[in-house]
Amino acid sequence: MTSRAFIAGCAGPNLSATERSFFRDAEPWGFILFARNVADPDQVRALVADLREAVGWMAPVLIDQEGGRVQRLRPPHWTDDPPAEAFGQLYLSDPTAALEAVRLNSRAIAADLYALGIDVDCLPCADLRHPDGHGIIGNRAYGTEPVAVAALARAAAVGLMEGGVLPVLKHIPGHGRAPVDSHEKLPVVTATRGELEGMDFAAFRDLSDLPLGMTAHVVYADIDPNRPATTSPVVLSEVVRGSIGFDGMLMSDDLSMGALAGTMETRGRDALAAGCDMLLHCNGKMEEMEKVAASAPVLTGEAYARAAKALSLRVVPDPVDARQLRAAVAAQLKTVG
């Protein structure tokens, strides 16, 4: 199997002939789905199968299914799940119950995804919630303290992996203090490196063994005032691979986001040069995907090894009753008063 170091989206609920041809030739390592790609379970299963057929192997298929504001699968065919904050609130009064609830919730999410053929979820979000941070994180955070956030994020990752779905730790090394939405503008965080190491980065340090991670399009001015983490060799080497110790496969956040400058080729090359293993491009626009593909080399070396190690952790899960799991989660969350 030969793949190139990028993950691609597609434009709609079905593959066009142009997309099939492009994916066959460009050989992306994986794919990511959004709400525009989702109609009903049969359609999603067919799309997932078509994506894999285009590249000729069991390529990973990603989705953002966190619960709360960020979930691509929604009623009437799927369930609206609680945001991370709900589990953080339970943790304050009953840590044991909160950890079990978050694990069961993720196990239920994994059951939904696995039934569709989706085997990677961009969860957990280990960003801390900060009062001065932009609401783009908000209730997607498990809390404000790194020990609690790391414990809850770990439980979420375990639930996914038990269900045959790989977790993606995000947004390394921390998006919670970002004063603006990185989908629109480049956030600059002015906290000192010491503050960040003791708080924001600490939550990720306790999760450094997870198989997949996603960068933050955030400038940490006390570490590298000129480049966001995604394209900063200093942040990725000294912080992500260094003090945090993350050794999983590291993908960029979406290259099409407004936080980044330059052409798609430049963004891709800068992210890879900084130390990302994989490029992520989400919007499904063919003219942009072609440019990202042009900047993405064949996956080799350490990046290949990390990607292969992650995929080796995919398992065939035991069957569960997702409704029953969600009922247990709801019962626990009702105790938060």
Side-chain angles (χ1 to χ4, degrees), residues 87-102 148 151-152 155 332:
F87 302 100
Q89 290 173 341
L90 177 59
Y91 188 92
L92 296 175
S93 59
D94 192 338
T96 300
L99 294 175
E100 179 64 359
V102 98
L152 290 162
Q332 289 285 5

Side-chain angles (χ1 to χ4, degrees), residues 35 64-75 78-82:
D64 291 286
Q65 193 72 5
E66 296 179 14
R69 289 179 289 126
V70 180
Q71 53 184 81
R72 314 308 182 195
L73 307 176
R74 289 195 174 271
W78 296 278
T79 302
D80 275 339
D81 289 307

Side-chain angles (χ1 to χ4, degrees), residues 19 60 81 167 169 247 267 295:
E19 287 172 328
D81 289 307
L169 177 64
D247 194 37
R267 297 178 188 196
S295 68

